[in-house]
Amino acid sequence: MNPDGDKKFAYAFPNSKSEIYLYGAHTGEVTRPWSCQRHLHHRMVEINLVLEGCQTVHTRNGEYRQRSGDLLIIPPMQLHAFSADEPAPLKYFVMHIQIDDPVFLQLLGGSSQIYYPEGGTLNRQILPDVQAILQLLLDGASRISIFHRLYTLLEQLEDSFTRLNSDHAAKLAGNLPVQIAREIETLIASPQDEEHAWSANWLEEIALKLGFTRRHCYRVFQQMYQMSPRDYFSILRQQEAMQLLLNTQGSIEQIARRV
């Protein structure tokens, strides 16, 4: 008998891999006027839940008063800021999710809505998952338990945004803006010094590498993210400097040369 000769594949499925990271998950309490300056997350989705009190969320689409039970879903590349000025304490839970699925991220980015008040359709669908993840983190649950619930939450979001943005989903092709963003991120992540400074023509060099003109890269990036590649470059430099100041022992002069 020849076992290999008798074996036939009915269907061969493609190999696949998925990576997901959970960053900066924490609860917080604010008891006095407070603000968080304008910032963005270049490859992460922020999910923000107010537990008690109220905060004001500032985005390119306007301002929202987020109260207890209200959710924010902030896609990558969305500039946002927070403030709280009410006398009652503010308590919140926030987490940042990085996932290597550009189509999913563009689905979220294609929606103009980030604020989902308590009682709304999507809020009712995903609030139990967000609350469950918070409780699992508080209980010190296993990573498998936490990520199982996290993937359940992302599946709910994918299904909802696919239905809500079917026209946008059908147009997703090429992911050129995502490629440009990643090239800029790689550029920022590369240490610099006086001898190896960033080229003044870095956008032209990225466009050449990707096989497009600088003008085309600028246009599609601006259309996707409502900011220019140079604005994104500048914001990432600022955020890199902040991280280095907080998390390294380098001097201000060393960090200035680095970014």
Side-chain angles (χ1 to χ4, degrees):
M1 179 177 179
N2 183 355
D4 291 335
D6 295 333
K7 186 166 87 172
K8 294 182 179 179
F9 288 111
Y11 189 84
F13 298 99
N15 298 327
S16 62
K17 180 184 74 170
S18 176
E19 291 184 341
I20 186 171
Y21 295 87
L22 180 61
Y23 285 109
H26 68 279
T27 59
E29 182 173 355
V30 178
T31 57
R32 62 182 184 277
W34 161 87
S35 65
C36 175
Q37 294 184 345
R38 188 180 71 156
H39 62 287
L40 57 77
H41 309 294
H42 49 289
R43 282 193 292 169
M44 290 186 284
V45 179
E46 177 176 328
I47 296 181
N48 189 302
L49 169 66
V50 168
L51 303 172
E52 293 181 20
C54 175
Q55 69 178 354
T56 302
V57 187
H58 312 268
T59 75
R60 69 179 183 224
N61 297 323
E63 294 184 359
Y64 306 94
R65 298 286 282 179
Q66 184 188 7
R67 301 184 182 277
S68 178
D70 296 348
L71 279 167
L72 294 175
I73 303 173
I74 304 175
M77 306 290 286
Q78 172 78 270
L79 283 168
H80 57 286
F82 300 101
S83 62
D85 53 16
E86 293 193 355
L90 163 69
K91 295 182 180 179
Y92 65 88
F93 168 60
V94 64
M95 59 182 172
H96 305 86
I97 305 163
Q98 180 175 314
I99 182 169
D100 58 348
D101 189 330
V103 173
F104 172 76
L105 295 176
Q106 287 192 36
L107 278 172
L108 266 62
S111 173
S112 61
Q113 186 175 0
I114 69 165
Y115 172 62
Y116 299 89
E118 185 177 29
T121 301
L122 186 61
N123 184 295
R124 292 199 309 270
Q125 290 175 351
I126 69 170
L127 182 59
D129 289 316
V130 176
Q131 293 171 327
I133 291 168
L134 171 57
Q135 192 59 53
L136 288 168
L137 291 168
L138 291 171
D139 293 343
S142 70
R143 285 196 297 174
I144 290 177
S145 298
I146 294 168
F147 278 85
H148 169 72
R149 201 67 190 240
L150 197 55
Y151 269 111
T152 300
L153 168 62
L154 294 175
E155 182 183 23
Q156 294 256 38
L157 289 175
E158 181 181 53
D159 179 65
S160 177
F161 279 90
T162 298
R163 285 186 284 104
L164 291 173
N165 302 295
S166 57
D167 291 340
H168 181 71
K171 295 176 182 177
L172 293 179
N175 299 317
L176 179 58
V178 174
Q179 294 179 49
I180 298 168
R182 287 177 176 170
E183 290 293 333
I184 296 174
E185 293 157 18
T186 300
L187 195 63
I188 294 294
S190 303
Q192 306 298 310
D193 55 36
E194 289 85 349
E195 295 182 3
H196 302 92
W198 288 309
S199 166
N201 299 318
W202 56 266
L203 182 55
E204 285 88 345
E205 293 173 1
I206 288 174
L208 181 63
K209 179 179 178 180
L210 297 177
F212 295 91
T213 65
R214 179 192 184 281
R215 182 178 179 181
H216 181 69
C217 288
Y218 183 99
R219 181 175 58 81
V220 298
F221 193 94
Q222 179 81 31
Q223 287 177 345
M224 175 64 72
Y225 299 121
Q226 280 73 57
M227 72 175 72
S228 71
R230 189 164 297 280
D231 287 341
Y232 184 51
F233 180 89
S234 177
I235 290 166
L236 289 191
R237 287 179 69 187
Q238 294 172 17
Q239 294 187 175
E240 180 74 6
M242 290 169 60
Q243 290 297 324
L244 291 171
L245 286 167
L246 289 171
N247 299 312
T248 72
Q249 300 300 316
S251 68
I252 292 177
E253 290 77 12
Q254 289 171 327
I255 292 171
R257 286 195 296 270
R258 164 68 180 78
V259 299

